[in-house]
Every structure is written in structure tokens, then in C-alpha cells.
Amino acid sequence: MKIKNICCIGAGYVGGPTMSIIAQKNPNIRVNVVDMNADKIAAWNSKNLDNLPVFEPGLSKVIKESRGKNLFFSTEVNKHIDEADMIFISVNTPTQTSGEGKGYAADLKYIEACAKQIAEVSRTDKIIVEKSTVPVRTSEKIKEILSLNNKDVDFQILSNPEFLAEGTAMRDLEIPDRVLIGGDNSPNGQRAIDSLVNIYLSWVPKENILTTNLWSSELSKLTANAFLAQRISSINSLSELCEETGADIEEVSKAIGMDSRIGPSFLKTSVGFGGSCFQKDILNLVYISRSLGLEKVAHYWEQILEINKHQRDRFSKKIIKCINDNNFNKSVIFLGWAFKKDTNDTRESAAIYVANNLLNEGISIHIYDPKVNSSQIKSDLFLLNPNVDTSKVNILSKPNSYFKKNNIIAILTEWDEFRDYAWTQIFKKMSKPAYVFDGRNILEKEKLESIGFNYIGLGR
Ligand code: NAD
Ligand code: UGA
């Protein structure tokens, strides 16, 4: 079946960038990205491309090229579902906050609402593509909802998980390591798979498109995230061992990464991984394993999250100890709030947890991030701890003037601009003795020590 009209439900960090590339590479397909959040859709339609709801290097260029030609952002969900031959579900799948599975299982209420709405609105056959990250066998649930609520239309379900990382999303979409498509092993299922393969073939080489059964595709997505996070927790756990033994984690990472069986990626030690997915997807994997009685498997994966929390906590404790031991002003400058560089996304950022730990000790925080605004920072803190004392939180549009009054600076995000020599010049203005706690190991220890700083990195 040749696809002419796509609808994507969910105009978030995945739906927006993914559909903009699909539209750019397939000028003959009309792509409608819909969302129930009218403000978000208005932002996607804003004339000033600096106001797009997602900051991603290279995104505005692609939007500029396709928006209004074959790419559209709209709140008319029913209309675009009805018109589409293929519907991507790209809605959020957060960790459940109540009921059975609270704190672990993925909350599928948004997915289920989409399935119900698709069933109610559809009058013609459709291919439904799970783009969101979901527990294994979710497609079965979607199928059930669709067939229960609409008996007149044939729905084929595909799983096509997204592997983009924020900050490099456009590059990841342009040259993906692989595109994974899971579908039914039936003639109709195969035809649906072929339709989606054809869309990707517009720019992805055939050998990079992998087709599997539905369950393998769903489980591979959770597994990929768990493996990536596991590498970070492994290296972070060793950073503590390095601090106790005199080994240097940067040297250890390099030495092991040069083993082609291990490889160099995802071996950068940090104050802890953040982002909307690693924690939620591992919790989900733990929940699935535990529900199946696989306690040892559940426990194994859960340790990744334990180490991540431990890394954030021990970074916070070092700062608190430094303030107490030196009788410093209870005040710290944070450089960075986003969960990684080149994104405005702050979900699960380690900075939120470290800030909360310091605020609980009565320490004031002055925060500077080049892409995150003040209301976002305050709402992140409130979400983690509704009793947070925001009078001790000061958001800086330019941090310069505050350097004078502080002894401690903490790097929470690895923004390139924090590496510039200009920063060490500004650091010079700080109260002395001055300490830099580098939660990303991005600064040069020797350079800072040469201008009189105490440099505290991770694992070195
Ligand atoms: P997001 O929160 O940025 O976007 C989801 C959007 O869906 C929201 O704008 C919300 O308003 C909308 N929505 C929810 N229910 C709706 C409904 N019934 N009708 C219309 N709109 C609805 O989420 P995201 O970061 O784009 O993630 C989406 C999915 O993709 C998640 O399952 C996530 O695990 C997965 N994923 C995310 C990333 C990433 O980097 N963020 C990468 C790969 C996979
Ligand atoms: C991650 C995966 O990399 C994507 O493949 C996946 O699609 C996505 O999750 C998802 O499912 O949401 P993302 O969270 O956007 O992407 O960003 P990453 O580059 O993976 O970084 C995650 C966190 O780990 C960040 O806080 C980052 O700073 C940290 N990190 C990463 C490290 O601490 N060390 C590293 O070596 C790499």
C-alpha cells in the first residue's frame, strides 16, 4: 500500500523531529502532526523558529523547508486521524504514579486513549505505528482496543521504536544506525511492514532497516536503553573506586574503550544520567521481569538506578562537606540545568536532584543554563519536592556578577560554552578559596589549579 497521508499523534521531542525528517525526505506524503496541547502546536507553528517547543540543532532548518508544504502541525486530531493511511502514536509513556505498578510500570493511558480515539474516528483501513516506547506486548493491547471499538475497519499494528538521542536527534534521524520495524507475520502484516519500509527507504539504506516480529521490536527498545544506561552506571561506579585508589577514570575509560569488543561510547563518567527515558524504561523492564517472577533479572537491572542515585547523592555530599568544613557561605553556583548539552529538556536531569539535596541543607543555589528558563527550573524543583524553598533559588540570565560572592561552582551540564577559557577568567573573580566541582569532567584540572582553584572532578 502506497502511503499518501500520515498522522502523528504527539508533537513532542520524538513526534516533532521524527515527522519533520519523514516529511522532508518524502515530499509526496502529507504529514500532519497533531497534539491536544494547543500551546505546543502554536509554538510548532510560530513564525520565529527560535520559539519552536523543542530545541535541537538542525531542527529549525528542516522545519523551515517542509512546514506549510507537506508538514503541518494541528490540534484537529479527529480530522487528521480520519484522513490518514498511516498513524504514528508518539505520545508520552511515563512511569505510573498510582495503582498497581506505581513507581515502576509504564503508564499506558495516553496510548490507550489514542487507540480508542482512532477506533472511534476511523472509516477506512489504517496502519497504526507504535513510535512511543512501550512494554513488550503493548501492540496486543492496542489491537484489542481497536477491534473492540471498531469492527468495520482493518487495522494493522507495527512497532517502530525511536532510537534518537536529544541534542543529536537530527543527525540520528538522518543517518540512523538502524531502523527497527516489527509486524505481524501474516500477508496483511507483511504488506504493512513494506509500506513503512518504503517510507524509510527514501533516505535509509536497505541494509540498515531491520524487520522483526512485534514483541522483539518492542523489547529491543527497552533493552537498548537499559544497555546504554548500564554502561554509564558501570563507569560511574568505577569513578568512586578511582577516587579511593588514585586511578584516573578518564584514563580507565580510554583504556577499556579501545578494546573493540567494548568500544568507546557511553563511557563518560558524570554526575548521573538524566533524560525522560533511561530511568522510566529500566523501571519498566524491572517491573516486567518481576511480574513474570524473574526476581534475579529484576534485581540486576534495578542496580543501574541504584548506582545512578548514589552518584548524584555522593556528588551533593562532597559539596555539602566542603561548605561545612570551610565554613563557607551557604551558596553555590550551578552551571547547567538541562540533562545534557544541546537540549532544552530537563526531565530527570541530575541537576534537579543535586539542587534538591543542597536546598534541603539550607544552601542557596544560583543557576545558569543557556537554554532553560526560570519557570521550567522552578517547576522541576517543585515536581520533585513540593515543599521546596524556592526563595533560595536564584536563576541567572548571566552569571558573572554572582561569581564574586561565591566559593563554590558546580558543573551540572556539559555545555560547550562552559569549557571556554573565558569561564576560567570569570572564575578568577570568585571568593577565595574557590572550588570547582566538575560533575561532567569537562574542565582542565591543571589549568584551573594554575590559577589557584581547587578542582574536584569525578574519579580523578
Ligand atoms: P513528549 O512528552 O515530549 O511528547 C508527547 C506529546 O504527546 C505531548 O505533547 C502530549 O501533549 C501529547 N499527547 C499525549 N496524549 C495525547 C493524545 N491522546 N492526543 C494528542 N496528543 C497527546 O514525549 P517524547 O519525549 O516525545 O516521548 C514520546 C515517546 O517516545 C515516549 O514513549 C518516549 O519513551 C519515547 N522516546 C523518547 C525519546 C526522547 O528522546 N525524548 C527518544 C526515543 C523514544
Ligand atoms: C537515550 C538514548 O541514547 C537514545 O538512543 C534513546 O532513543 C533515548 O534515550 C530515549 O529512548 O529516550 P537521550 O536520553 O536523549 O537518549 O540522551 P543520551 O545521550 O543517551 O544521554 C542520556 C543521559 O546519559 C544524559 O544525562 C547524558 O549526559 C548521560 N551520559 C551519556 C553520561 O553520563 N555518560 C555517557 O557516556 C553518555
Side-chain angles (χ1 to χ4, degrees):
M1 175 181 178
K2 195 144 178 57
I3 303 299
K4 292 200 186 73
N5 189 310
I6 288 176
C7 171
C8 170
I9 310 180
Y13 283 88
V14 168
T18 312
M19 291 303 127
S20 68
I21 288 281
I22 288 188
Q24 185 200 37
K25 306 291 183 188
N26 292 277
N28 296 327
I29 300 179
R30 182 184 165 108
V31 180
N32 296 300
V33 188
V34 297
D35 203 293
M36 58 188 180
N37 181 334
D39 290 343
K40 203 175 266 191
I41 291 298
W44 279 113
N45 283 324
S46 47
K47 279 210 173 79
N48 181 350
L49 293 169
D50 289 339
N51 295 336
L52 295 180
V54 170
F55 169 73
E56 223 14 277
L59 173 64
S60 53
K61 188 171 164 276
V62 180
I63 296 281
K64 194 173 169 197
E65 205 179 308
S66 304
R67 198 179 57 186
K69 291 185 187 133
N70 66 326
L71 174 67
F72 301 89
F73 293 91
S74 163
T75 49
E76 289 184 280
V77 182
N78 284 350
K79 173 175 184 277
H80 293 300
I81 289 177
D82 183 31
E83 287 170 0
D85 324 301
M86 180 176 271
I87 301 172
F88 285 78
I89 302 181
S90 268
V91 298
N92 35 332
T93 48
T95 305
Q96 246 171 255
T97 53
S98 61
E100 203 203 321
K102 177 183 172 185
Y104 282 91
D107 190 343
L108 297 179
K109 66 171 179 250
Y110 302 109
I111 298 265
E112 288 167 6
C114 288
K116 195 139 185 283
Q117 195 168 359
I118 292 170
E120 282 166 4
V121 171
S122 297
R123 291 174 298 174
T124 52
D125 294 352
K126 297 192 193 305
I127 298 170
I128 312 300
V129 185
E130 260 177 12
K131 194 53 142 167
S132 300
T133 303
V134 291
V136 53
R137 298 192 84 93
T138 298
S139 46
E140 202 165 55
K141 207 175 268 179
I142 296 179
K143 203 178 285 179
E144 242 174 62
I145 296 174
L146 290 170
S147 52
L148 202 72
N149 291 285
N150 187 334
K151 305 210 183 318
D152 305 326
V153 166
D154 179 60
F155 293 107
Q156 285 301 315
I157 322 284
L158 299 177
S159 158
N160 172 221
E162 185 48 60
F163 295 100
L164 69 81
E166 290 177 29
T168 54
M170 303 316 282
R171 189 201 65 200
D172 299 340
L173 289 166
E174 184 93 40
I175 24 172
D177 286 354
R178 79 309 207 180
V179 166
L180 179 58
I181 300 173
D184 258 353
N185 194 11
S186 63
N188 277 351
Q190 193 52 52
R191 267 193 292 278
I193 292 175
D194 292 344
S195 303
L196 186 52
V197 167
N198 275 332
I199 290 173
Y200 282 107
L201 275 177
S202 302
W203 78 101
V204 180
K206 200 169 183 203
E207 57 277 16
N208 291 14
I209 303 176
L210 187 65
T211 58
T212 66
N213 80 29
L214 276 163
W215 324 138
S216 307
S217 172
E218 290 172 336
L219 186 58
S220 299
K221 172 62 196 177
L222 289 185
T223 311
N225 274 357
F227 266 59
L228 291 169
Q230 179 234 320
R231 284 173 68 97
I232 304 170
S233 277
S234 297
I235 209 72
N236 281 347
S237 73
L238 291 167
S239 71
E240 192 174 16
L241 191 57
C242 284
E243 287 162 26
E244 296 300 319
T245 57
D248 182 324
I249 197 67
E250 298 298 329
E251 293 177 352
V252 174
S253 286
K254 188 167 182 195
I256 64 167
M258 284 173 76
D259 184 326
S260 60
R261 295 166 303 172
I262 297 174
S265 306
F266 275 71
L267 289 181
K268 180 78 188 154
T269 195
S270 67
V271 55
F273 60 74
S276 60
C277 296
F278 280 175
Q279 172 167 298
K280 120 178 132 57
D281 293 346
I282 291 172
L283 286 170
N284 191 1
L285 197 62
V286 168
Y287 179 74
I288 295 169
S289 308
R290 202 158 270 153
S291 329
L292 295 168
L294 311 177
E295 183 50 41
K296 282 232 167 13
V297 178
H299 180 72
Y300 174 76
W301 291 107
E302 205 162 21
Q303 287 310 301
I304 294 167
L305 299 175
E306 283 293 312
I307 289 289
N308 201 44
K309 178 177 184 306
H310 175 63
Q311 188 77 344
R312 297 188 304 238
D313 288 347
R314 74 184 195 87
F315 185 78
S316 316
K317 280 186 191 142
K318 281 191 204 180
I319 297 177
I320 295 164
K321 185 170 183 313
C322 180
I323 292 177
N324 292 339
D325 288 356
N326 292 290
N327 224 356
F328 285 157
N329 263 345
K330 289 195 153 203
S331 175
V332 174
I333 296 173
F334 268 35
L335 291 185
W337 191 260
F339 82 98
K340 63 185 283 196
K341 74 171 182 177
D342 292 340
T343 177
N344 60 345
D345 194 350
T346 62
R347 291 176 289 181
E348 289 299 323
S349 177
I352 308 169
Y353 291 89
V354 175
N356 185 54
N357 288 342
L358 301 192
L359 289 166
N360 283 340
E361 295 293 320
I363 298 169
S364 305
I365 309 178
H366 309 278
I367 303 162
Y368 171 71
D369 187 288
K371 284 287 172 205
V372 183
N373 63 37
S374 151
S375 58
Q376 182 63 53
I377 293 177
K378 293 206 168 143
S379 96
D380 289 339
L381 284 166
F382 183 77
L383 208 66
L384 178 66
N385 175 8
N387 301 319
V388 69
D389 180 2
T390 44
S391 70
K392 290 203 175 323
V393 181
N394 180 23
I395 317 291
L396 312 170
S397 53
K398 277 195 193 124
N400 305 17
S401 57
Y402 273 82
F403 279 66
K404 290 192 200 88
K405 304 176 198 156
N406 283 272
N407 300 89
I408 298 190
I409 199 158
I411 313 265
L412 276 303
T413 312
E414 74 282 22
W415 284 102
D416 286 340
E417 66 180 76
F418 300 158
R419 293 173 197 261
D420 284 357
Y421 186 63
W423 287 96
T424 52
Q425 291 301 311
I426 297 167
F427 292 175
K428 275 186 181 167
K429 295 185 187 149
M430 287 173 67
S431 299
K432 298 293 173 325
Y435 283 79
V436 179
F437 287 83
D438 187 354
R440 295 289 180 163
N441 278 6
I442 54 168
L443 299 180
E444 291 172 48
K445 185 172 194 264
E446 291 72 23
K447 195 192 271 181
L448 284 160
E449 284 176 350
S450 74
I451 56 167
F453 265 88
N454 295 291
Y455 175 86
I456 318 282
L458 291 163
R460 34 172 32 184

